[in-house]
Amino acid sequence: MALLCALVGPLAGGREARAFDVELRSPFAPCRADCTATLFAGQLVETSMWEIFLTKHQGPWDWRWGSSTFVGGAFSREVVRFDRFAAIETEVGVGKRFGSLHEGEGWGALYFRWKWFPWDAYLRTTLGISIGLNYATGVPVFEARRAGVEGQNLLHYLSPELTFGLPSRPDLDLIFRFHHRSGGDLPFFNRAGGGAQYGTVGLRYRW
């Protein structure tokens, strides 16, 4: 929180009369434009997240696409708001794989979201990343082969996403989510490495 305040402090410099606001919101209170429902779908990505985001910085046109699709839905709720700049959200979701993979998935996560960009008056933009748990109803050969180990149903849920929306429609967003489950090199997840992941597109409704 201290780091976040330091980052946004210069942006709020013109509002000396008002302190930086941190608002806690009850997950059981009536929704106040802080509840969302999301539907998304996409294609299996066989290129590792490590290559995409860290070593090769590849765009979707360079990814290796697989023969499985994924359809999912999620409900989220904003529980901490850092002024107009950032937020923490809770999320629960379920989804189903089709094609070469056929397992179901369920997950629960916290999303850390940056909400302020200088062009927001023209195109609302947010950037989020999750930390959570993802449970799959089965461990396909695909995951075991990539991990080089037995694989595991329960893995970490790390799914960065980018959203866009029109200022005139604050209730509706277009989302791009890299739906990803993996175990990394953590003993808790049987050192299962990377799991199934999908490049997805979806719509989010807020109320």
Side-chain angles (χ1 to χ4, degrees), residues 120-141:
D120 282 342
Y122 308 97
L123 182 68
R124 292 185 298 101
T125 306
T126 77
L127 178 64
I129 190 166
S130 68
I131 179 171
L133 295 174
N134 177 293
Y135 183 86
T137 57
V139 179
V141 174

Side-chain angles (χ1 to χ4, degrees), residues 23-37:
E23 181 183 358
L24 303 179
R25 298 190 164 202
S26 169
F28 306 107
C31 296
R32 297 178 294 156
D34 54 10
C35 297
T36 68

Side-chain angles (χ1 to χ4, degrees), residues 40-46 63 65-71 96-103 105 142-143 159-160 177-181 195-201:
F40 59 99
Q43 194 77 9
L44 180 70
V45 178
E46 296 184 347
W63 298 352
W65 297 91
S67 56
S68 172
T69 57
F70 180 85
V71 177
K96 182 72 170 64
R97 305 170 187 169
F98 299 92
S100 60
L101 305 180
H102 56 270
E103 297 78 19
E105 293 185 23
F142 170 85
E143 286 192 355
S159 290
R177 175 178 291 195
F178 195 80
H179 179 81
H180 171 90
R181 54 181 253 121
Q197 56 189 14
Y198 294 79
T200 72
V201 179

Side-chain angles (χ1 to χ4, degrees), residues 46 48 139-155 180-186 189-196:
E46 296 184 347
S48 73
V139 179
V141 174
F142 170 85
E143 286 192 355
R145 183 177 71 250
R146 290 189 59 181
V149 296
E150 184 179 347
Q152 187 162 300
N153 297 81
L154 184 68
L155 293 178
H180 171 90
R181 54 181 253 121
S182 65
D185 195 36
L186 299 175
F189 297 115
N190 196 29
R191 303 188 187 277

Side-chain angles (χ1 to χ4, degrees), residues 49-107:
M49 177 182 272
W50 187 266
E51 292 180 1
I52 291 172
F53 293 106
L54 294 177
T55 61
K56 297 185 178 179
H57 306 102
Q58 295 178 333
W61 47 88
D62 293 321
W63 298 352
R64 298 186 303 275
W65 297 91
S67 56
S68 172
T69 57
F70 180 85
V71 177
F75 170 82
S76 64
R77 182 84 191 255
E78 192 176 272
V79 293
V80 184
R81 178 176 292 182
F82 302 95
D83 213 304
R84 62 192 177 97
F85 301 105
I88 298 175
E89 305 160 1
T90 57
E91 178 177 288
V92 292
V94 294
K96 182 72 170 64
R97 305 170 187 169
F98 299 92
S100 60
L101 305 180
H102 56 270
E103 297 78 19
E105 293 185 23
W107 64 90

